[in-house]
Amino acid sequence: MRKLQMVDLGAQYQKIKKDIDDSIQAVIDSTAFINGPEVKNLQNELESYLNVKHVIPCGNGTDALQIALMALDLKPGDEVITADFTFAATVEVIHLLGLKSVLVDVDYDTFLMDSERLKSAITPNTKAIIPVHLFGQCANMDEINQIAKEHNLYVVEDTAQAIGADFNGEKAGTIGTIGTTSFFPSKNLGCYGDGGAIFTNDDKLAHKMRGIVNHGMYQRYYHDEIGVNSRLDSVQASILRVKLPLLNSYNNARRQAADFYDAAFANHPSILIPTRNAKSTHVFHQYTLRITNGKRDELRTFLEGKGIPAMIYYPVPLRKQKAYDTGNYNDAEFPNTDRLINEVISLPMHTELDKEQLEFIKQSVLEFFSSYSPE
Ligand SMILES: *Cc1c(COP(=O)(O)O)cnc(C)c1O
């Protein structure tokens, strides 16, 4: 059996090696390393894949979030609401810009922002909401957009984990005011270094963000505003151009592995499988179980002993991270996040999992629990 990994980028590369190698070599031969035609071509191809008016490539998914917030002209102290249960980048950029983060609980079944908690977190200072399409499916964008409309708020969709997912037939990241994504190697559409992109249908915001990514320059050496240096390089763009046409088949392969896991664990008394949101397709950036008998950490150790990696995404709620702990939160408002951090475990999930590997993972998980189930 091939060695199990959380993500098997090596096996994926072997299948597309010639195209990848040729595309990298072509960029080197062209010497158009920054802002070359490959970046523009990728931009056009992403615009058509996502059916969105503007794609702005940038350096990484964290910059994409920061640039999106910079474009919204928020003032220090303005509040941005996001989920307590997500990767830290989402909240980090809020603080970097001198804004105030307001964290809300997630739904226990989908791991996604809870719309009721969102509503009650809105104050007169709230200016934006960042729903995170965590683990590969979309937060409830109907409800979130409706709430945003009622309160005149911007919506920035963090689509780093859900590129290619659909919500009511629209692509994740194109439903709110702005969408952002990451091309970090392990993401569903990953390059071989850092990369990211921003999406919007708003012409004005797109123009502004194209300036911000490049030092606030709209005309060479005329700086109209404070920007950043956040560019996608041409080598990464050329790799992404090879992989974008494969994204749907990659997401299907992930879904097939998830279907296998679902069937294996659906009726187990100590395991809850991830709930799929009816309006969203799921592209399974992660396949995350909840272990309800308190033995999650022991399961992880057991699996590691068998050569099966498993990860805890995420072990600490953002509101309890040293960097973001304001002491202003009431734990009673976060029952789901506080439960999830003790129950979640993510199994290997990637495009190259074969039947033998999946079967071994299934048998190993079931073997662990057989020693605990009452006979
Ligand atoms: C990966 C990720 C990011 C950050 O992307 P980078 O390209 O690593 O900067 C932001 N938000 C979420 C939810 C992510 O998973």
Side-chain angles (χ1 to χ4, degrees):
M1 189 176 66
R2 235 177 42 245
K3 183 176 172 334
L4 279 160
Q5 295 172 270
M6 285 303 287
V7 178
D8 193 343
L9 295 174
Q12 191 190 63
Y13 167 64
Q14 286 309 319
K15 292 185 180 160
I16 52 174
K17 184 174 181 338
K18 172 130 193 0
D19 289 349
I20 294 277
D21 294 357
D22 289 353
S23 70
I24 294 174
Q25 190 59 51
V27 173
I28 296 172
D29 292 341
S30 78
T31 72
F33 295 116
I34 298 283
N35 277 341
E38 287 300 284
V39 178
K40 182 72 186 164
N41 290 338
L42 173 70
Q43 177 190 317
N44 293 337
E45 288 158 10
L46 275 168
E47 284 167 358
S48 102
Y49 175 80
L50 295 167
N51 193 19
V52 70
K53 239 168 134 185
H54 306 282
V55 167
I56 300 122
C58 66
N60 58 68
T62 308
D63 281 1
L65 284 163
Q66 179 178 334
I67 293 156
L69 290 179
M70 286 171 81
L72 298 177
D73 277 332
L74 307 180
K75 285 168 220 49
D78 282 351
E79 293 174 8
V80 180
I81 300 176
T82 191
D84 191 30
F85 187 68
T86 176
F87 179 58
T90 324
V91 70
E92 183 176 48
V93 297
I94 299 173
H95 289 253
L96 276 172
L97 296 175
L99 306 168
K100 186 176 172 222
S101 69
V102 175
L103 301 169
V104 297
D105 203 10
V106 295
D107 178 72
Y108 178 68
D109 291 315
T110 61
F111 315 118
L112 300 167
M113 180 182 273
D114 180 321
S115 302
E116 289 309 311
R117 298 275 178 193
L118 163 63
K119 268 190 219 161
S120 43
I122 293 171
T123 76
N125 295 325
T126 307
K127 293 288 154 47
I129 308 166
I130 310 184
V132 181
H133 300 322
L134 200 72
F135 299 156
Q137 70 179 339
C138 294
N140 195 329
M141 290 304 295
D142 282 345
E143 288 176 10
I144 291 169
N145 271 345
Q146 182 59 35
I147 294 165
K149 205 168 144 198
E150 278 163 25
H151 297 269
N152 205 15
L153 309 174
Y154 299 112
V155 177
V156 177
E157 302 173 66
D158 184 343
T159 315
Q161 300 190 4
I163 191 151
D166 291 316
F167 185 86
N168 281 346
E170 285 182 280
K171 286 280 179 232
T174 68
I175 307 160
T177 321
I178 302 176
T180 66
T181 202
S182 163
F183 301 127
F184 186 79
S186 64
K187 300 286 159 97
N188 289 37
L189 178 61
C191 56
Y192 291 178
D194 275 310
I198 310 163
F199 322 132
T200 189
N201 284 307
D202 183 309
D203 297 339
K204 265 191 163 151
L205 284 174
H207 175 74
K208 191 158 180 191
M209 292 189 288
R210 282 191 210 291
I212 293 174
V213 296
N214 194 20
H215 303 293
M217 244 181 342
Y218 297 91
Q219 193 187 343
R220 208 153 197 201
Y221 305 122
Y222 291 80
H223 301 271
D224 295 358
E225 58 195 310
I226 297 172
V228 294
N229 169 13
S230 184
R231 295 176 290 228
L232 181 71
D233 71 69
S234 308
V235 167
Q236 301 310 333
S238 76
I239 291 165
L240 290 165
R241 289 192 67 212
V242 173
K243 291 178 76 173
L244 179 59
L246 302 170
L247 178 58
N248 287 347
S249 68
Y250 285 164
N251 284 341
N252 279 333
R254 289 171 176 274
R255 239 180 329 256
Q256 270 170 25
D259 290 346
F260 178 92
Y261 285 143
D262 273 4
F265 307 128
N267 298 314
H268 196 283
S270 304
I271 304 176
L272 290 173
I273 60 171
T275 303
R276 303 191 194 189
N277 182 345
K279 290 181 179 169
S280 175
T281 58
H282 202 317
V283 295
F284 286 100
H285 178 60
Q286 299 296 345
Y287 185 86
T288 304
L289 296 172
R290 287 156 290 166
I291 305 303
T292 54
N293 69 346
K295 307 284 186 205
R296 189 267 316 264
D297 292 335
E298 286 163 61
L299 169 63
R300 188 182 183 198
T301 308
F302 178 84
L303 293 177
E304 264 168 12
K306 295 201 160 242
I308 302 171
M311 295 290 289
I312 311 303
Y313 303 116
Y314 295 94
V316 181
L318 289 179
R319 73 183 199 285
K320 295 195 170 166
Q321 296 281 1
K322 254 191 217 163
Y324 307 113
D325 188 352
T326 56
N328 291 337
Y329 289 103
N330 175 2
D331 286 349
E333 290 173 12
F334 297 85
N336 297 329
T337 297
D338 287 351
R339 197 168 155 198
L340 288 170
I341 54 157
N342 293 313
E343 293 185 358
V344 289
I345 185 164
S346 299
L347 298 179
M349 174 49 75
H350 53 79
T351 58
E352 310 302 320
L353 281 164
D354 62 34
K355 189 86 201 191
E356 187 188 10
Q357 292 176 312
L358 288 167
E359 200 58 55
F360 180 66
I361 295 167
K362 168 186 165 177
Q363 292 310 335
S364 302
V365 171
L366 295 178
E367 183 191 333
F368 170 79
F369 283 104
S370 63
S371 49
Y372 290 104
S373 353
E375 289 303 323

